[in-house]
Amino acid sequence: MDTIELLVPAGDMDKLKTALRFGADAVYVGGQQFGLRAAAGNFNLDQLSQAVDLTHDQGKRIYLTLNAYLRPDDFDELDDYLEALRPLGTDGYIVSDPGVLQRIKQVDPRREIHLSTQVNTTNGYSCRFWQQQGVDRLNLARELNLEEIRQIRSLSDIELEVFVHGAMCVAYSGRCLLSTALTARSANEGACAQPCRWNYALVEETRPGQYFPIEEDGRGTYIMNSRDLCLLDQVPDLIRAGVNSLKIEGRMKTLYYVAAVTRVYRAAIDAFLADPAGYQFDPAWREELDKVSHRPYTTDYLPTDDAAVHAEDSRYRRTHDFIGVVRQVEEGRVLIEGRNRFKVGDEIELIGPKMCQHRFVVAPCEDEAGQPVATIQPNARVWLPFEGAVGVGDLLRREKDQPGWVSSGPAGQ
Ligand code: SF4
């Protein structure tokens, strides 16, 4: 129970630094081959080497995803890739395909192996089986409830990992050909187009083009539309059940998402470990999770009385927008890199690790040449007067409903 790990996605180097800064014990990253999330900013070998050094310098761990299902012709390339990866010293590989597991055992036998959620492990006998094959850790299927996790723990001493937060499939994770069928983009090769979240209509076969109005709202119906997982309330139960690692989903998510979600789970884990008997849930943690872009939250199947997985609409919601990153700190001022437009006079919030946050009004700013700046645009770098505790990598955000708020688009999220 003392060694519970908070495992956080790191889609690129900036997100990796943010994840470590905001409280991750370990990060998972994709390389440029054989990891799902084809569109994430995956790491090349040089970047991976830097990422490993950076993570290990902080005494933390880094895992590489190799969780695609491979075709016969892929294996020569896989062996070459494993050879190239071997000297980098990542702490483990996340795999799905038993063939990949077998090749790792041949080429790099001492590497720790974690079994991906794509394998859909749902019982202790499967855990024993995979342990006998040389797997060190298993990510359990999201479909399990707490009692089932306890039963699995009692049957096997393998390391157990569970997803606690993020998007979910409507199929068993990744076991779905919808994207392949509709777009030729395979979910199990990291290219899912998420067609389960598209709007669908009913058409009678002899009347092509005539759509029957089966509506849940004005935009259509959402027959396969999953909520987002949020097991913040269940953190103590999961730790007590013997889970070793709590994993956050989302290598495609933004810097702000990584920071905000990581610091909340860090706070909950630390509060529980510091005083398990006196642990009290802080409602501010849940409010914090509402400030990032998300679909309606669900606990999925974890408590047996809650199977409310389906969302009634397809909208993402959030109460705040990510507007900037602190890139440099000097006495009385910080250098900000803008992500969304904001201006002098706006009331904004600075967030840092350990649930630190400061609300303040933006004072007159200047650019790096010393010229006054009234409106901070996305990607602009400006000096912002600021007094208080702040560090490089802290983030700025702004409530969405302020009068005069203008969004510069979804790129900030
Ligand atoms: S289409 Fe939906 S259910 Fe299927 S793999 Fe993609 S996200 Fe998962």
Side-chain angles (χ1 to χ4, degrees), residues 105-132:
K105 288 291 172 197
Q106 286 287 318
V107 178
D108 192 3
R110 285 184 301 175
R111 192 73 49 194
E112 207 171 282
I113 296 186
H114 299 185
L115 210 62
S116 165
T117 196
Q118 267 77 22
V119 182
N120 309 146
T121 308
T122 55
N123 61 75
Y125 298 103
S126 295
C127 293
R128 285 181 181 176
F129 169 80
W130 286 115
Q131 198 168 19
Q132 285 160 7

Side-chain angles (χ1 to χ4, degrees), residues 170-411:
V170 291
Y172 263 86
S173 297
R175 294 286 169 140
C176 165
L177 290 173
L178 203 58
S179 183
T180 308
L182 295 180
T183 69
R185 290 172 49 182
S186 166
N188 278 313
E189 291 167 10
C192 180
Q194 300 201 327
C196 62
R197 287 151 196 206
W198 297 353
N199 304 335
Y200 290 89
L202 186 66
V203 181
E204 196 276 324
E205 64 178 334
T206 64
R207 294 173 176 80
Q210 288 186 30
Y211 300 108
F212 286 80
I214 47 164
E215 294 184 353
E216 291 183 44
D217 68 18
R219 292 179 299 165
T221 184
Y222 312 99
I223 50 180
M224 295 177 284
N225 186 38
S226 69
R227 291 170 178 253
D228 278 358
L229 182 67
C230 176
L231 298 185
L232 183 62
D233 293 1
Q234 284 76 28
V235 163
D237 290 338
L238 289 166
I239 297 174
R240 284 195 182 101
V243 169
N244 304 94
S245 178
L246 304 180
K247 186 172 187 176
I248 295 168
E249 181 273 349
R251 276 190 286 143
M252 307 285 284
K253 302 286 191 187
T254 65
L255 204 63
Y256 170 50
Y257 182 96
V258 169
V261 175
T262 300
R263 71 184 195 138
V264 166
Y265 279 88
R266 176 80 275 150
I269 292 168
D270 288 349
F272 178 75
L273 292 181
D275 182 10
Y279 174 80
Q280 286 197 323
F281 184 86
D282 184 345
W285 298 335
R286 184 62 187 236
E287 286 166 24
E288 185 69 13
L289 294 180
D290 286 336
K291 294 177 182 175
V292 299
S293 180
H294 66 282
R295 289 162 182 273
Y297 287 128
T298 178
T299 54
D300 193 11
Y301 301 99
L302 203 68
T304 46
D305 59 349
D306 182 0
V309 174
H310 178 259
E312 63 283 355
D313 67 37
S314 200
R315 280 183 304 117
Y316 281 92
R317 54 269 283 155
R318 64 180 188 269
T319 61
H320 287 63
D321 276 300
F322 173 33
I323 56 173
V325 188
V326 175
R327 293 300 188 194
Q328 203 176 318
V329 177
E330 290 185 357
E331 185 67 38
R333 66 178 193 165
V334 290
L335 182 67
I336 300 298
E337 190 175 279
R339 283 290 195 274
N340 241 318
R341 191 183 313 165
F342 65 103
K343 61 184 188 314
V344 174
D346 283 351
E347 193 172 333
I348 66 173
E349 229 170 41
L350 181 137
I351 67 166
K354 298 186 186 296
M355 301 305 290
C356 277
Q357 53 200 60
H358 309 275
R359 206 172 168 88
F360 63 99
V361 173
V362 179
C365 302
E366 53 186 42
D367 65 19
E368 289 179 284
Q371 297 301 308
V373 176
T375 300
I376 295 87
Q377 303 288 353
N379 299 319
R381 288 164 69 91
V382 297
W383 286 102
L384 171 73
F386 183 80
E387 299 288 349
V390 57
V392 171
D394 286 357
L395 306 181
L396 296 174
R397 68 185 176 197
R398 176 185 164 165
E399 248 178 280
K400 280 174 67 71
D401 57 358
Q402 285 192 41
W405 177 84
V406 181
S407 171
S408 59

Side-chain angles (χ1 to χ4, degrees), residues 29-35 42-53 56 62-67 77-95 100 103-104 107-112:
V29 302
Q32 292 192 323
Q33 289 157 273
F34 306 121
N42 293 333
F43 291 70
N44 64 29
L45 290 173
D46 283 348
Q47 291 165 331
L48 259 180
S49 174
Q50 287 172 34
V52 170
D53 290 347
H56 287 172
I62 178 166
Y63 311 126
L64 178 71
T65 55
L66 293 172
N67 53 345
E77 193 185 332
L78 174 68
D79 282 6
D80 292 344
Y81 192 45
L82 292 174
E83 288 287 5
L85 289 171
R86 190 150 58 141
L88 302 186
T90 47
D91 294 289
Y93 295 152
I94 301 171
V95 307
V100 175
R103 292 315 306 152
I104 295 170
V107 178
D108 192 3
R110 285 184 301 175
R111 192 73 49 194
E112 207 171 282

